[in-house]
Amino acid sequence: LGPIPAPTVNVPKNEPSAPEVTPDGKPKELSDRIAALRTTVEVWRWNRHLYPKWLIAPGSTRFTVWMNTQNWWNEFVKITPHLPPVERLLALRELVWRLDTALLPYFEPMETLFAQALDSINCEQKIITLSDGAKEESPDLDWSDLRDAWHTLALAIVRAARDRGDQQAFTAWLQRLAPFAEDTGEVAQRIAYERCQWSRGRLDYEILEKDLSTWNPAKSDRAWALRKAGILAEIGRDQDA
């Protein structure tokens, strides 16, 4: 009998680097860079599905995720605008997941790229807006996955707007997220959390109390109850926490 091969199911894949030039120092062709980005996005998606669902990844994992992401930063900025709308949305979702996992902010011009990707896809009407402005009905796409990607990017914009105190953008994107609140419990919980964090950060305790009173994490992941308890403790409501 020969040696037993090592199992390959559910094994993380090696993540490629992002060279922008050929071995002789010349810039790579755009088509080659797009192909390399597509390959990397598929690897990232595979590895994301193997993530053990830690609330906060160990430091070594966060470091590895960022080290394997930072070399692709410029490529995402330069190449994703050349992708078709659906592919662009799904690629940016992978980038957002990695930045969130590494506990990093969304660097410029990511927010602009996110908004452009979201504006090109209407999840409610199942319409894609192409680069030439033409609109295409696409009922046969996996709209469940697209909705997941859409609200992931939209929530990233909400967080970025909250961090910089942009109330107009914060409110506008929360309104656009409202139709997604029933998709999964996570979306509704994240919306409630963001509202509370906005009020807390502005020391608007009257609004914060109202937001807390309407936030019910009871039937969702226990992590949301812990997050709510943390906010309650911060404002001195230890017994309620």
Side-chain angles (χ1 to χ4, degrees):
L1 296 176
I4 299 175
T8 57
V9 178
N10 295 336
V11 174
K13 297 180 180 179
N14 291 329
E15 299 185 350
S17 57
E20 297 183 21
V21 297
T22 60
D24 58 1
K26 296 181 180 179
K28 280 194 167 186
E29 295 291 335
L30 177 61
S31 59
D32 293 334
R33 293 167 69 183
I34 290 175
L37 183 69
R38 284 172 168 156
T39 298
T40 295
V41 168
E42 286 303 313
V43 172
W44 284 6
R45 181 180 295 115
W46 172 268
N47 289 347
R48 171 170 62 86
H49 287 307
L50 300 182
Y51 183 73
K53 309 300 183 184
W54 290 310
L55 286 179
I56 298 178
S60 59
T61 299
R62 299 198 305 271
F63 178 79
T64 299
V65 168
W66 174 236
M67 288 296 100
N68 290 337
T69 304
Q70 64 175 346
N71 292 332
W72 282 98
W73 181 256
N74 288 331
E75 286 296 87
F76 265 79
V77 172
K78 296 174 183 177
I79 302 302
T80 52
H82 296 280
L83 298 177
V86 169
E87 193 175 359
R88 178 175 59 193
L89 176 71
L90 297 178
L92 290 172
R93 173 178 59 182
E94 300 307 321
L95 179 60
V96 167
W97 181 86
R98 296 174 76 84
L99 292 176
D100 286 348
T101 300
L103 302 181
L104 291 168
Y106 308 121
F107 308 104
E108 287 294 339
M110 280 292 103
E111 195 173 340
T112 300
L113 291 178
F114 296 166
Q116 291 171 346
L118 296 175
D119 287 340
S120 68
I121 297 181
N122 187 322
C123 291
E124 300 306 302
Q125 299 181 11
K126 299 182 178 180
I127 293 176
I128 308 297
T129 301
L130 305 178
S131 58
D132 61 0
K135 297 187 182 299
E136 180 181 86
E137 293 188 13
S138 305
D140 297 329
L141 293 173
D142 183 353
W143 282 98
S144 176
D145 191 43
L146 291 182
R147 290 178 72 88
D148 177 86
W150 203 100
H151 68 63
T152 297
L153 265 64
L155 285 167
I157 296 177
V158 167
R159 194 190 93 182
R162 172 168 61 82
D163 287 344
R164 68 171 185 277
D166 187 340
Q167 186 172 15
Q168 182 176 356
F170 180 82
T171 301
W173 282 100
L174 280 183
Q175 290 174 345
R176 293 184 68 175
L177 274 163
F180 296 81
E182 300 302 321
D183 283 14
T184 68
E186 287 294 299
V187 178
Q189 293 300 312
R190 179 68 183 276
I191 290 173
Y193 173 79
E194 291 293 342
R195 290 187 186 281
C196 289
Q197 288 288 42
W198 175 273
S199 302
R200 184 195 62 80
R202 273 73 200 163
L203 305 180
D204 191 339
Y205 295 115
E206 182 178 354
I207 298 298
L208 176 57
E209 290 285 358
K210 293 179 181 178
D211 290 336
L212 286 168
S213 68
T214 59
W215 180 9
N216 181 15
K219 295 183 179 180
S220 59
D221 190 297
R222 292 181 180 179
W224 291 111
L226 289 173
R227 293 184 179 104
K228 181 177 181 178
I231 296 176
L232 287 167
E234 284 189 47
I235 61 175
R237 292 175 56 183
D238 295 345
Q239 294 298 322
D240 295 324

